[in-house]
Amino acid sequence: MKIFLLIFTLFFTLNAADSINDTQLKEMIGRMLIVGFDGTKVTQNSQIIKDIKRYKLGGVILFDINYHDRSRQKNITSPKQLKELTTALQNFSHSPLFIAIDQEGGKVARLKPKYGFTKIPSAFKVAQLPLTKAKSIYQTQSQMLHKNGINMNFAPVVDLGINPKNRVIVGLERSFGKDPLKVSRYAKVLIDTQTDNNIISVLKHFPGHGSSLGDSHKGFVDITETWSKKELEPYKILIKADKADAIMTAHVFNRHLDAAYPATLSYKINTQLLRNKLGFRGVIISDDMQMKAISAHYSLKEATTLAINAGVDMLLFGNQLAHNSTQEIVQTIFEQVKAGKVSRQKIINANKKIAVLHTKNSIIQKPIIFKKERKEMTKAYIKKHYALEVKDIHIRPKIIVLHWTAVMDFNDSFKRLYPQKLLTDRKDIAAASQLNVSAHFLVERDGTIYQLMPDNFMARHVIGLNYSAIGVENVGGEANKKEDLTPAQVTANIRLVEYLKEKYPDIEYLIGHYEYKQMQKNPLWLEKDASYRTTKADPGAKFMQAVREGVEELQLKGADE
């Protein structure tokens, strides 16, 4: 529940932008930072903990060894030590915290067998295996990350391995291959296993590093003559498939894309190409801002200003290649905002995207049965009630419908949604179909959100509107009458609506189940059976009012609009 209350507070601050004071502004800048630190354990007196508390840092990044002295351990020595470290970091943080790592497998693996972790093959080697074997390997890795408190992985690499002389990607076997379709398939396997284990995947390195000849860790890298548009294909495929929540920029220069700046600092590449042309709506994260490709050519002030104005949402300072204090970074950006060199709106927009990503990261996957039988029954329901012949059950969400379960226990609520066929006590709607009622999300009374099925599959949860509606069930509603949903559920629903609207910009409506009949004249209403109606009270007028007030800035329509 803590995470939702904290994000709710953050959104309240963002929605009152004119009243943001200097302390709040510095905290919002802090949310945009992922920083590295020295030490295998932390206390309340550790500098990183002081920074986390003072600036509400967005995240930290962990390394196993010190870059300049490879005989020294930096953050990781064993599974027991790592779990204690990540637990302490989260406990000391009063805000949601990304704990990030580079765990690709092969030579780029911070969790090594010599420390007691499972050995994971390189991307190149995994791509020689069947997808089922790749899934097993990445499931093992994702479970290992989750078990040890990691919730963000700077992987998969979706660079195409098209230049055999490339040392930093091809030479280290970090690419799945040179074929965009193959790279996308194997990347998707890694992303899906990480999603199942509540780990944010960060695709890298945009717009492509696999054709380069140089290493951006060491200096300027020009890919103008080697890069091709083909390198954008994995991003296009994964963005279209809704598999890209975060993307890392590359510190590479391509005069055909931007004649002035490398990708990390380029508005043309991050905003015009990645956001506007490719349609990416997630979080853009910089590669390490201390790499020589950036630090040798730009001051801290220049680099951070250009990156934020280019559209980068989170800045990575690994404090491996060089060292910048969090205070120095925050103060530098703060002064640029106050001077009008970085717009306050850029800071606000980045914080919103980061908050949405934290919401996604907090959603627990708890799938109901959705096998062939349920899919076929769903197609039959669509044909019978909407007179549509469909090849699949995908929907284009336009509406979010909030419900209550009328069952006070979470497990009992889940059990009712789990089977493929309607339960025998639902005689009131049995004649319409034997397809069981379901929902895309189920919210526990403490505010925990569970995802039960893909949010772009059709669920049976609201008469007439299922083909365009995402359903959110809330545990509660005693006797199907009592308005007893909790404040934590209000906050969780606000965050979920924010997340879904960011994910599906075409969503126009937010309604309570009790309001659904008011939409019978709306073009989205498809029900052909004029006698098929039920009277609903969920999730209660007070609950709907509270949620609507929390998402007022989204300007979602009500049922009668």
Side-chain angles (χ1 to χ4, degrees):
M1 182 174 71
K2 180 179 78 169
I3 184 172
F4 294 108
L5 294 175
L6 288 165
I7 296 175
F8 178 73
T9 302
L10 172 62
F11 269 86
F12 180 81
T13 300
L14 297 182
N15 294 339
D18 293 338
S19 64
I20 296 174
N21 60 38
D22 287 354
T23 298
Q24 291 169 330
L25 178 57
K26 288 182 179 180
E27 289 175 348
M28 292 170 69
I29 293 168
R31 299 298 290 157
M32 296 171 64
L33 303 181
I34 299 175
V35 302
F37 63 96
D38 291 327
T40 56
K41 60 182 179 180
V42 292
T43 69
Q44 61 182 357
N45 295 318
S46 301
Q47 187 59 52
I48 187 62
I49 298 304
K50 292 178 181 178
D51 291 339
I52 286 171
K53 290 182 175 181
R54 179 178 179 183
Y55 298 113
K56 293 184 169 60
L57 284 183
V60 297
I61 179 171
L62 305 182
F63 297 93
D64 57 333
I65 58 175
N66 183 287
Y67 184 82
H68 297 290
D69 182 357
R70 304 184 78 81
S71 66
R72 287 175 51 203
Q73 299 301 118
K74 188 174 177 74
N75 305 123
I76 301 167
T77 62
S78 71
K80 181 177 183 294
Q81 169 272 326
L82 177 58
K83 179 61 176 176
E84 290 174 352
L85 175 62
T86 57
T87 299
L89 287 165
Q90 292 289 8
N91 288 342
F92 279 122
S93 179
H94 299 303
S95 302
L97 183 72
F98 290 129
I99 299 180
I101 202 167
D102 288 293
Q103 179 66 26
E104 301 170 15
K107 294 181 180 179
V108 182
R110 311 305 181 208
L111 307 186
K112 295 179 171 65
K114 65 181 180 180
Y115 308 137
F117 299 100
T118 303
K119 184 177 181 180
I120 302 297
S122 68
F124 177 79
K125 285 187 170 62
V126 169
Q128 312 311 308
L129 303 171
L131 287 171
T132 52
K133 180 62 176 176
K135 181 177 180 180
S136 175
I137 290 171
Y138 285 140
Q139 183 66 24
T140 297
Q141 175 171 275
S142 298
Q143 290 173 344
M144 179 171 65
L145 291 170
H146 178 74
K147 180 181 178 181
N148 288 284
I150 307 297
N151 59 19
M152 175 178 278
N153 190 13
F154 293 136
V157 170
V158 295
D159 297 317
L160 302 184
I162 56 181
N163 185 349
K165 295 181 180 180
N166 176 286
R167 295 179 181 179
V168 70
I169 303 296
V170 179
L172 296 178
E173 297 188 349
R174 299 172 69 190
S175 172
F176 290 112
K178 62 177 67 175
D179 175 22
L181 291 176
K182 181 177 184 179
V183 168
S184 301
R185 283 196 296 270
Y186 282 88
K188 181 179 178 295
V189 171
L190 175 53
I191 292 166
D192 286 345
T193 61
Q194 291 188 158
T195 298
D196 289 344
N197 288 277
N198 284 83
I199 298 163
I200 294 296
S201 301
V202 182
L203 285 59
K204 60 186 185 184
H205 307 79
F206 188 83
H209 210 319
S211 62
S212 67
L213 288 170
D215 182 349
S216 54
H217 291 79
K218 300 176 180 179
F220 182 78
V221 176
D222 190 337
I223 60 171
T224 302
E225 303 304 326
T226 57
W227 185 87
S228 69
K229 291 183 178 179
K230 179 182 179 181
E231 296 181 59
L232 296 177
E233 288 304 312
Y235 294 98
K236 291 180 181 179
I237 293 168
L238 294 167
I239 289 170
K240 185 176 181 180
D242 190 34
K243 298 297 178 181
D245 293 316
I247 291 176
M248 176 179 281
T249 63
H251 299 327
V252 293
F253 177 79
N254 185 339
R255 73 172 64 92
H256 297 313
L257 298 178
D258 191 326
Y261 300 110
T264 300
L265 311 183
S266 170
Y267 180 85
K268 291 181 179 179
I269 293 174
N270 290 302
T271 296
Q272 293 181 350
L273 176 58
L274 180 54
R275 290 230 185 270
N276 298 344
K277 189 171 182 179
L278 301 190
F280 178 61
R281 298 183 61 82
V283 171
I284 299 177
I285 303 176
S286 78
D287 206 339
D288 196 330
M289 297 294 287
Q290 294 163 332
M291 288 182 181
K292 291 293 185 181
I294 299 297
S295 63
H297 301 278
Y298 301 90
S299 68
L300 178 65
K301 180 170 71 173
E302 291 169 331
T304 53
T305 299
L306 286 166
I308 295 170
N309 286 337
V312 174
D313 303 300
M314 300 194 81
L315 303 171
L316 174 61
F317 289 85
N319 286 322
Q320 280 276 78
L321 306 173
H323 184 82
N324 296 97
S325 72
T326 301
Q327 181 179 3
E328 178 189 10
I329 300 166
V330 171
Q331 186 64 29
T332 298
I333 299 171
F334 173 78
E335 290 174 0
Q336 290 296 89
V337 175
K338 299 294 279 190
K341 303 297 184 181
V342 173
S343 79
R344 191 168 295 218
Q345 195 59 48
K346 288 280 189 183
I347 305 298
I348 292 170
N349 291 344
N351 271 253
K352 287 182 179 180
K353 288 186 178 295
I354 294 163
V356 165
L357 191 59
H358 277 298
T359 298
K360 176 181 173 56
N361 183 240
S362 70
I363 296 172
I364 298 172
Q365 301 298 312
K366 191 175 177 66
I368 57 177
I369 299 177
F370 223 106
K371 296 183 179 179
K372 183 177 180 180
E373 182 179 13
R374 195 170 203 151
K375 291 179 180 178
E376 292 303 318
M377 292 174 71
T378 301
K379 289 180 186 178
Y381 185 101
I382 292 170
K383 182 177 182 179
K384 176 180 179 180
H385 291 273
Y386 308 148
L388 297 173
E389 293 274 1
V390 296
K391 293 182 180 180
D392 57 49
I393 61 171
H394 288 91
I395 64 172
R396 295 183 60 186
K398 299 278 189 177
I399 313 167
I400 300 172
V401 184
L402 306 185
H403 304 256
W404 67 33
T405 62
V407 176
M408 301 305 295
D409 179 75
F410 173 83
N411 290 324
D412 289 344
S413 297
F414 179 75
K415 287 177 182 177
R416 294 190 65 81
L417 301 169
Y418 184 76
Q420 300 189 96
K421 290 186 177 181
L422 198 65
L423 301 185
T424 56
D425 61 359
R426 295 305 307 272
K427 293 182 173 58
D428 56 328
I429 58 172
S433 173
Q434 284 301 305
L435 173 67
N436 194 20
V437 295
S438 55
H440 301 88
F441 299 93
L442 178 61
V443 182
E444 173 64 288
R445 295 185 68 77
D446 67 358
T448 304
I449 300 176
Y450 295 85
Q451 184 163 359
L452 308 184
M453 57 180 285
D455 51 28
N456 63 348
F457 278 16
M458 196 194 93
R460 180 186 184 182
H461 64 99
V462 55
I463 294 170
L465 302 171
N466 291 312
Y467 202 60
S468 56
I470 293 176
V472 181
E473 287 279 1
N474 290 272
V475 176
E478 187 176 357
N480 208 23
K481 294 179 180 179
K482 189 175 181 180
E483 292 197 32
D484 58 2
L485 299 182
T486 68
Q489 286 174 304
V490 171
T491 306
N493 278 255
I494 290 170
R495 300 286 60 77
L496 188 52
V497 171
E498 294 276 5
Y499 161 68
L500 291 171
K501 175 60 177 175
E502 182 71 21
K503 184 176 181 180
Y504 298 111
D506 290 341
I507 288 177
E508 299 179 56
Y509 296 89
L510 172 65
I511 70 171
H513 195 193
Y514 68 92
E515 301 171 307
Y516 83 98
K517 285 191 281 188
Q518 297 176 36
M519 296 193 71
Q520 291 183 78
K521 294 182 179 180
N522 191 294
L524 295 174
W525 180 274
L526 300 179
E527 182 57 58
K528 301 301 181 183
D529 184 350
S531 66
Y532 181 36
R533 306 289 188 275
T534 56
T535 300
K536 297 294 180 181
D538 60 315
K542 292 180 181 178
F543 184 83
M544 283 306 303
Q545 180 181 353
V547 174
R548 285 193 169 110
E549 288 175 354
V551 297
E552 185 176 3
E553 71 160 10
L554 298 183
Q555 298 181 325
L556 296 171
K557 299 175 185 176
D560 56 353
E561 295 181 66

